[in-house]
Amino acid sequence: LDTTRENRIYATYVFSKRFSPLFRLKTGVIGNLIQYDFFQMVLPRRTSTDAWASRFWGTEAQGSGFTQTAQAYAQGIYNVTEKLTMSGGFHFLSLMQNMTASIDPRFSAKYQFNRNHRLSLALGKYSQHLPLPAFSYVKIDSLPNGGTESSTPNANLKMLYSNHAILSYQYSTDDMLKVQTEVYVQDLHNVPVSPNPEDLYCFMNTNSEFPVFTVVSEGRGLNYGIDLAIEKMTAKSFYFLLTGSLFAAKYQPLNGEWYHNRYSSLYVTAFTAGKEIDFRKGRVLQFGARLILNGGYRYTTLDMEESAKLGYYVGEEGAYNQSRMPNYWRI
């Protein structure tokens, strides 16, 4: 049982100036007023053997009110030579909900060998706050006198941040064909995980859910891979786009071991193609198709003997998220 509602008002200011033919500066601030209202309770299923239901029974997250985020940024771009361009700056983010903040430095460089070949490097830190419901799990404790006491142990979770490194190469031709490849690494910190080293819960394994139990901002994450995109922009009324990514996504809970997260599907690909027929006088008929082929999400292989004995799902020891669902495809 859950309900979530947010209303936001943004205010921004941007200042940009070119100080010389070689250097320009862009700065700005962003204010965000957020009105929120949410509630979640996980109820047990009708069978008393459901282990997950018994774990979540009686827990909830709830909250309503107003909060704000404030952001500021600055970026300077310097044309070192006709072929080399460098940029650097910072991004500041703060959340008033629990008075957390982060300053993220960033740097990039681009070298244009000629009109067809370009090499780029980007380094930086990127922060974001958790969804507001993640802070508002309400824990109910029983008191010796028979009463109860409530607390919000997740109220002070830290901001997620990731150190990024991206090396990319782009090749483009005069007949509207572009090929781009990127190699990247993302090192994530302050990932919410269970405070129990034997519990492998990690926030990165969830979709839209948020924790309705106590977690700590002491997990790690690591994403790395290579992306490839081949694009034929509309020329002679025909276009196509082929994209693919080969990657791994892992996380580290408090036991210090590394595991694939649920979405570490190994690869994702997509192919889109289309053609336009011009009937003149502003009338155009366009037809095309898109094919998606992705690796399956990960899961822990079922331990059939233990599951049959206990009456509910039990994963194989030492095989957490080692198996993958069948490949997913769609036209």
Side-chain angles (χ1 to χ4, degrees), residues 12 164 190 263 288:
T12 66
H164 287 206
N190 295 344
Y263 305 102

Side-chain angles (χ1 to χ4, degrees), residues 57-270:
W57 167 242
T59 61
E60 64 182 32
Q62 60 183 0
S64 62
F66 290 86
T67 189
Q68 305 84 32
T69 62
Q71 300 178 65
Y73 62 90
Q75 181 186 34
I77 302 174
Y78 181 60
N79 297 322
V80 182
T81 67
E82 291 184 357
K83 295 184 176 182
L84 178 62
T85 301
M86 303 177 69
S87 67
F90 74 91
H91 184 273
F92 169 80
L93 171 65
S94 66
L95 174 67
M96 306 306 173
Q97 176 85 358
N98 58 3
M99 301 303 293
T100 53
S102 178
I103 297 179
D104 302 339
R106 296 170 188 176
F107 168 82
S108 66
K110 178 178 66 176
Y111 190 82
Q112 191 78 39
F113 293 92
N114 52 47
R115 60 185 298 176
N116 302 118
H117 300 269
R118 186 176 72 193
L119 185 67
S120 303
L121 172 68
L123 305 171
K125 177 186 173 188
Y126 293 80
S127 300
Q128 67 179 85
H129 66 77
L130 296 170
L132 296 179
F135 301 109
S136 300
Y137 156 58
V138 180
K139 182 181 180 183
I140 307 297
D141 293 313
S142 299
L143 299 176
N145 61 8
T148 59
E149 181 182 58
S150 63
S151 61
T152 53
N154 296 339
N156 294 314
L157 292 175
K158 300 177 182 179
M159 284 192 180
L160 289 172
Y161 76 87
S162 175
N163 297 317
H164 287 206
I166 304 172
L167 179 65
S168 64
Y169 168 76
Q170 179 178 301
Y171 169 71
S172 57
T173 67
D174 296 334
D175 58 353
M176 309 292 282
L177 177 68
K178 182 172 69 174
V179 179
Q180 180 167 316
T181 183
E182 292 185 349
V183 179
Y184 65 89
V185 177
Q186 299 172 340
D187 180 22
L188 294 91
H189 296 259
N190 295 344
V191 178
V193 294
S194 170
N196 179 5
E198 297 182 0
D199 186 349
L200 301 184
Y201 170 82
C202 176
F203 186 75
M204 293 170 60
N205 278 324
T206 62
N207 185 5
S208 59
E209 307 88 2
F210 46 86
V212 285
F213 45 87
T214 302
V215 294
V216 292
S217 299
E218 298 180 22
R220 289 276 307 278
L222 182 65
N223 304 327
Y224 55 89
I226 182 170
D227 295 341
L228 174 67
I230 304 174
E231 180 180 8
K232 176 71 171 181
M233 288 165 278
T234 303
K236 298 182 179 179
S237 73
F238 174 75
Y239 67 91
F240 73 83
L241 174 63
L242 174 64
T243 60
S245 181
L246 184 66
F247 69 98
K250 299 182 179 182
Y251 78 96
Q252 184 185 58
L254 288 190
N255 68 4
E257 300 293 331
W258 286 96
Y259 302 91
H260 287 283
N261 71 34
R262 178 186 177 189
Y263 305 102
S264 185
S265 60
L266 187 61
Y267 68 90
V268 294
T269 62

